Amino acid sequence: MEGRPNRLREVKWFDVFWRGLYEAQIGESIYTVEIDYFDIRERIALYRDGVLVDSQKSPAAFALPEGGRIEAAMALYGVKYARVVDGGRSGGGEAQLAPALGSAEYLRMRFEHQHPVLSRSIAVLAWVILVVALVTQIPVTLNSLGYWFGFTVPTFALPSWANTVLAVAGLFAALDRAFRMKHNPLLDD
């Protein structure tokens, strides 16, 4: 399978910004989904007990020998979903894959368990920042299109320092949502 090592590479500290790892134990095997957030080909790899099984373009659906499948899809940054569907368990259904130890998603989940009030505050702040960024930037985007179609809409006259702060805060807010595995097509695509 092109471009992927045959064995799952150990998580390094610098991987937290570009590599998502999600896993589930199904039967006697541990399945790991690996996503490189900056892979322009949008390939998602599936490993079974650390050995590469398959690699597909997002959205991916990997059939499991135990029955069911693992599904995963990339967002603009992060993951839309990584789940096991009817994974050989009685009753069927679907369950989200857990973040793998050492991944940014795992570190964010651990922070959430250790500091639930602070974590919720950060989550609310991230949501507010993204909504504000969306509301203030939609008129700018519409005016870019309006140039070609002959219309303009009023924009918010923010000073350049406010646009810079909003852009940086928006980046951190998007990272937090990605690390919490929260996806909303309006905010995150």
Side-chain angles (χ1 to χ4, degrees):
M1 277 145 261
E2 63 187 70
R4 298 274 183 181
N6 204 24
R7 300 227 21 106
L8 184 62
R9 193 173 53 77
E10 178 182 325
V11 179
K12 305 288 186 193
W13 68 268
F14 51 83
D15 288 339
V16 298
F17 297 108
W18 64 271
R19 184 177 178 217
L21 294 167
Y22 310 91
E23 59 188 18
Q25 181 161 356
I26 301 170
E28 298 295 316
S29 299
I30 295 179
Y31 286 91
T32 306
V33 170
E34 179 185 47
I35 299 174
D36 177 348
Y37 299 136
F38 298 121
D39 180 3
I40 59 172
R41 296 170 301 144
E42 294 189 347
R43 301 294 294 180
I44 297 173
L46 178 68
Y47 293 83
R48 180 179 182 178
D49 297 323
V51 177
L52 183 63
V53 175
D54 196 4
S55 176
Q56 298 179 12
K57 185 169 176 24
S58 178
F62 303 101
L64 300 173
E66 297 86 353
R69 65 191 177 280
I70 289 179
E71 300 176 342
M74 297 174 70
L76 183 61
Y77 183 82
V79 65
K80 288 183 183 180
Y81 55 83
R83 60 190 175 213
V84 59
V85 180
D86 297 324
R89 293 168 291 159
S90 61
E94 72 178 47
Q96 184 169 303
L97 271 63
L101 184 67
S103 66
E105 293 82 359
Y106 175 83
L107 297 173
R108 181 62 174 91
M109 182 181 69
R110 190 175 76 186
F111 177 80
E112 185 172 350
H113 289 303
Q114 292 173 344
H115 309 283
V117 174
L118 181 57
S119 177
R120 276 193 299 276
S121 300
I122 291 170
V124 167
L125 182 62
W127 188 87
V128 168
I129 288 170
L130 287 175
V131 167
V132 169
L134 184 67
V135 167
T136 60
Q137 298 308 307
I138 282 179
V140 174
T141 304
L142 287 175
N143 282 339
S144 297
L145 294 172
Y147 175 79
W148 299 104
F149 296 105
F151 70 86
T152 60
V153 295
T155 59
F156 295 93
L158 298 176
S160 60
W161 66 266
N163 279 325
T164 302
V165 167
L166 191 57
V168 171
L171 175 64
F172 283 111
L175 282 173
D176 182 67
R177 289 183 57 78
F179 293 161
R180 286 185 308 113
M181 298 185 302
K182 300 294 182 192
H183 180 264
N184 178 309
L186 209 57
L187 295 176
D188 302 310
D189 277 344

